[in-house]
PDB file of all heavy atoms in Angstrom:
ATOM      1  N   SER Y  90     -17.716  29.682  -4.551  1.00  0.00           N
ATOM      2  CA  SER Y  90     -18.187  30.998  -5.015  1.00  0.00           C
ATOM      3  C   SER Y  90     -17.036  31.814  -5.616  1.00  0.00           C
ATOM      4  O   SER Y  90     -17.239  32.625  -6.516  1.00  0.00           O
ATOM      5  CB  SER Y  90     -18.854  31.756  -3.869  1.00  0.00           C
ATOM      6  OG  SER Y  90     -17.892  32.258  -2.979  1.00  0.00           O
ATOM      7  N   LEU Y  91     -15.812  31.567  -5.109  1.00  0.00           N
ATOM      8  CA  LEU Y  91     -14.645  32.248  -5.698  1.00  0.00           C
ATOM      9  C   LEU Y  91     -14.402  31.748  -7.122  1.00  0.00           C
ATOM     10  O   LEU Y  91     -13.997  32.510  -7.999  1.00  0.00           O
ATOM     11  CB  LEU Y  91     -13.401  32.024  -4.825  1.00  0.00           C
ATOM     12  CG  LEU Y  91     -13.440  32.637  -3.427  1.00  0.00           C
ATOM     13  CD1 LEU Y  91     -12.201  32.266  -2.637  1.00  0.00           C
ATOM     14  CD2 LEU Y  91     -13.561  34.154  -3.510  1.00  0.00           C
ATOM     15  N   TYR Y  92     -14.648  30.447  -7.327  1.00  0.00           N
ATOM     16  CA  TYR Y  92     -14.557  29.887  -8.690  1.00  0.00           C
ATOM     17  C   TYR Y  92     -15.547  30.611  -9.608  1.00  0.00           C
ATOM     18  O   TYR Y  92     -15.237  30.931 -10.746  1.00  0.00           O
ATOM     19  CB  TYR Y  92     -14.870  28.387  -8.663  1.00  0.00           C
ATOM     20  CG  TYR Y  92     -13.646  27.518  -8.537  1.00  0.00           C
ATOM     21  CD1 TYR Y  92     -13.088  27.256  -7.299  1.00  0.00           C
ATOM     22  CD2 TYR Y  92     -13.040  26.956  -9.647  1.00  0.00           C
ATOM     23  CE1 TYR Y  92     -11.966  26.468  -7.167  1.00  0.00           C
ATOM     24  CE2 TYR Y  92     -11.912  26.166  -9.535  1.00  0.00           C
ATOM     25  CZ  TYR Y  92     -11.383  25.927  -8.286  1.00  0.00           C
ATOM     26  OH  TYR Y  92     -10.260  25.151  -8.175  1.00  0.00           O
ATOM     27  N   THR Y  93     -16.761  30.833  -9.102  1.00  0.00           N
ATOM     28  CA  THR Y  93     -17.787  31.517  -9.897  1.00  0.00           C
ATOM     29  C   THR Y  93     -17.303  32.920 -10.286  1.00  0.00           C
ATOM     30  O   THR Y  93     -17.499  33.347 -11.427  1.00  0.00           O
ATOM     31  CB  THR Y  93     -19.098  31.612  -9.090  1.00  0.00           C
ATOM     32  OG1 THR Y  93     -19.396  30.326  -8.577  1.00  0.00           O
ATOM     33  CG2 THR Y  93     -20.247  32.077  -9.964  1.00  0.00           C
ATOM     34  N   HIS Y  94     -16.648  33.611  -9.346  1.00  0.00           N
ATOM     35  CA  HIS Y  94     -16.126  34.954  -9.642  1.00  0.00           C
ATOM     36  C   HIS Y  94     -15.055  34.899 -10.728  1.00  0.00           C
ATOM     37  O   HIS Y  94     -15.062  35.694 -11.667  1.00  0.00           O
ATOM     38  CB  HIS Y  94     -15.525  35.580  -8.384  1.00  0.00           C
ATOM     39  CG  HIS Y  94     -16.561  36.096  -7.429  1.00  0.00           C
ATOM     40  ND1 HIS Y  94     -17.442  37.100  -7.770  1.00  0.00           N
ATOM     41  CD2 HIS Y  94     -16.863  35.759  -6.158  1.00  0.00           C
ATOM     42  CE1 HIS Y  94     -18.235  37.349  -6.735  1.00  0.00           C
ATOM     43  NE2 HIS Y  94     -17.917  36.532  -5.756  1.00  0.00           N
ATOM     44  N   VAL Y  95     -14.118  33.935 -10.572  1.00  0.00           N
ATOM     45  CA  VAL Y  95     -12.994  33.864 -11.512  1.00  0.00           C
ATOM     46  C   VAL Y  95     -13.480  33.484 -12.912  1.00  0.00           C
ATOM     47  O   VAL Y  95     -13.010  34.031 -13.912  1.00  0.00           O
ATOM     48  CB  VAL Y  95     -11.928  32.853 -10.996  1.00  0.00           C
ATOM     49  CG1 VAL Y  95     -10.861  32.604 -12.054  1.00  0.00           C
ATOM     50  CG2 VAL Y  95     -11.284  33.380  -9.719  1.00  0.00           C
ATOM     51  N   PHE Y  96     -14.448  32.572 -12.977  1.00  0.00           N
ATOM     52  CA  PHE Y  96     -14.924  32.102 -14.284  1.00  0.00           C
ATOM     53  C   PHE Y  96     -16.182  32.841 -14.753  1.00  0.00           C
ATOM     54  O   PHE Y  96     -16.872  32.357 -15.648  1.00  0.00           O
ATOM     55  CB  PHE Y  96     -15.201  30.593 -14.237  1.00  0.00           C
ATOM     56  CG  PHE Y  96     -13.958  29.760 -14.058  1.00  0.00           C
ATOM     57  CD1 PHE Y  96     -13.742  29.040 -12.899  1.00  0.00           C
ATOM     58  CD2 PHE Y  96     -12.984  29.713 -15.053  1.00  0.00           C
ATOM     59  CE1 PHE Y  96     -12.596  28.285 -12.718  1.00  0.00           C
ATOM     60  CE2 PHE Y  96     -11.831  28.964 -14.880  1.00  0.00           C
ATOM     61  CZ  PHE Y  96     -11.627  28.254 -13.711  1.00  0.00           C
ATOM     62  N   SER Y  97     -16.456  34.000 -14.150  1.00  0.00           N
ATOM     63  CA  SER Y  97     -17.692  34.723 -14.497  1.00  0.00           C
ATOM     64  C   SER Y  97     -17.728  35.131 -15.976  1.00  0.00           C
ATOM     65  O   SER Y  97     -18.783  35.095 -16.611  1.00  0.00           O
ATOM     66  CB  SER Y  97     -17.847  35.953 -13.612  1.00  0.00           C
ATOM     67  OG  SER Y  97     -16.722  36.783 -13.747  1.00  0.00           O
ATOM     68  N   GLU Y  98     -16.562  35.488 -16.523  1.00  0.00           N
ATOM     69  CA  GLU Y  98     -16.535  35.920 -17.931  1.00  0.00           C
ATOM     70  C   GLU Y  98     -16.770  34.755 -18.887  1.00  0.00           C
ATOM     71  O   GLU Y  98     -17.166  34.965 -20.027  1.00  0.00           O
ATOM     72  CB  GLU Y  98     -15.192  36.577 -18.245  1.00  0.00           C
ATOM     73  CG  GLU Y  98     -15.092  37.977 -17.671  1.00  0.00           C
ATOM     74  CD  GLU Y  98     -13.762  38.639 -17.961  1.00  0.00           C
ATOM     75  OE1 GLU Y  98     -13.021  38.123 -18.810  1.00  0.00           O
ATOM     76  OE2 GLU Y  98     -13.472  39.659 -17.318  1.00  0.00           O
ATOM     77  N   LEU Y  99     -16.505  33.553 -18.437  1.00  0.00           N
ATOM     78  CA  LEU Y  99     -16.689  32.378 -19.301  1.00  0.00           C
ATOM     79  C   LEU Y  99     -18.119  31.840 -19.227  1.00  0.00           C
ATOM     80  O   LEU Y  99     -18.428  30.837 -19.869  1.00  0.00           O
ATOM     81  CB  LEU Y  99     -15.705  31.265 -18.905  1.00  0.00           C
ATOM     82  CG  LEU Y  99     -14.211  31.605 -18.995  1.00  0.00           C
ATOM     83  CD1 LEU Y  99     -13.381  30.444 -18.490  1.00  0.00           C
ATOM     84  CD2 LEU Y  99     -13.818  31.932 -20.431  1.00  0.00           C
ATOM     85  N   LYS Y 100     -18.951  32.487 -18.426  1.00  0.00           N
ATOM     86  CA  LYS Y 100     -20.348  32.060 -18.229  1.00  0.00           C
ATOM     87  C   LYS Y 100     -20.419  30.584 -17.805  1.00  0.00           C
ATOM     88  O   LYS Y 100     -21.138  29.781 -18.387  1.00  0.00           O
ATOM     89  CB  LYS Y 100     -21.155  32.262 -19.512  1.00  0.00           C
ATOM     90  CG  LYS Y 100     -21.120  33.684 -20.059  1.00  0.00           C
ATOM     91  CD  LYS Y 100     -22.341  34.459 -19.620  1.00  0.00           C
ATOM     92  CE  LYS Y 100     -22.367  35.863 -20.183  1.00  0.00           C
ATOM     93  NZ  LYS Y 100     -21.591  36.844 -19.457  1.00  0.00           N
ATOM     94  N   ALA Y 101     -19.608  30.257 -16.804  1.00  0.00           N
ATOM     95  CA  ALA Y 101     -19.507  28.850 -16.399  1.00  0.00           C
ATOM     96  C   ALA Y 101     -20.139  28.587 -15.022  1.00  0.00           C
ATOM     97  O   ALA Y 101     -19.819  27.586 -14.384  1.00  0.00           O
ATOM     98  CB  ALA Y 101     -18.044  28.430 -16.390  1.00  0.00           C
ATOM     99  N   GLU Y 102     -21.041  29.471 -14.577  1.00  0.00           N
ATOM    100  CA  GLU Y 102     -21.622  29.334 -13.239  1.00  0.00           C
ATOM    101  C   GLU Y 102     -22.307  27.980 -13.053  1.00  0.00           C
ATOM    102  O   GLU Y 102     -22.181  27.349 -12.018  1.00  0.00           O
ATOM    103  CB  GLU Y 102     -22.648  30.448 -12.963  1.00  0.00           C
ATOM    104  CG  GLU Y 102     -22.048  31.817 -12.717  1.00  0.00           C
ATOM    105  CD  GLU Y 102     -21.896  32.626 -13.990  1.00  0.00           C
ATOM    106  OE1 GLU Y 102     -22.052  32.040 -15.091  1.00  0.00           O
ATOM    107  OE2 GLU Y 102     -21.603  33.829 -13.886  1.00  0.00           O
ATOM    108  N   ARG Y 103     -23.032  27.577 -14.117  1.00  0.00           N
ATOM    109  CA  ARG Y 103     -23.787  26.319 -14.046  1.00  0.00           C
ATOM    110  C   ARG Y 103     -22.839  25.129 -13.846  1.00  0.00           C
ATOM    111  O   ARG Y 103     -23.099  24.226 -13.059  1.00  0.00           O
ATOM    112  CB  ARG Y 103     -24.578  26.138 -15.349  1.00  0.00           C
ATOM    113  CG  ARG Y 103     -25.792  25.243 -15.230  1.00  0.00           C
ATOM    114  CD  ARG Y 103     -26.743  25.498 -16.380  1.00  0.00           C
ATOM    115  NE  ARG Y 103     -26.138  25.225 -17.690  1.00  0.00           N
ATOM    116  CZ  ARG Y 103     -26.270  24.077 -18.354  1.00  0.00           C
ATOM    117  NH1 ARG Y 103     -26.972  23.121 -17.843  1.00  0.00           N
ATOM    118  NH2 ARG Y 103     -25.711  23.900 -19.535  1.00  0.00           N
ATOM    119  N   TYR Y 104     -21.725  25.164 -14.549  1.00  0.00           N
ATOM    120  CA  TYR Y 104     -20.771  24.057 -14.465  1.00  0.00           C
ATOM    121  C   TYR Y 104     -20.031  24.064 -13.131  1.00  0.00           C
ATOM    122  O   TYR Y 104     -19.710  23.016 -12.583  1.00  0.00           O
ATOM    123  CB  TYR Y 104     -19.785  24.128 -15.637  1.00  0.00           C
ATOM    124  CG  TYR Y 104     -20.476  23.943 -16.956  1.00  0.00           C
ATOM    125  CD1 TYR Y 104     -20.731  25.024 -17.787  1.00  0.00           C
ATOM    126  CD2 TYR Y 104     -20.920  22.686 -17.366  1.00  0.00           C
ATOM    127  CE1 TYR Y 104     -21.398  24.863 -18.994  1.00  0.00           C
ATOM    128  CE2 TYR Y 104     -21.586  22.505 -18.558  1.00  0.00           C
ATOM    129  CZ  TYR Y 104     -21.832  23.603 -19.369  1.00  0.00           C
ATOM    130  OH  TYR Y 104     -22.500  23.428 -20.545  1.00  0.00           O
TER     131      TYR Y 104
END
Side-chain angles (χ1 to χ4, degrees):
Chain Y
S90 75
L91 295 176
Y92 266 84
T93 310
H94 283 298
V95 171
F96 293 113
S97 57
E98 284 179 13
L99 300 176
K100 305 263 182 277
E102 287 91 348
R103 204 161 61 96
Y104 296 103

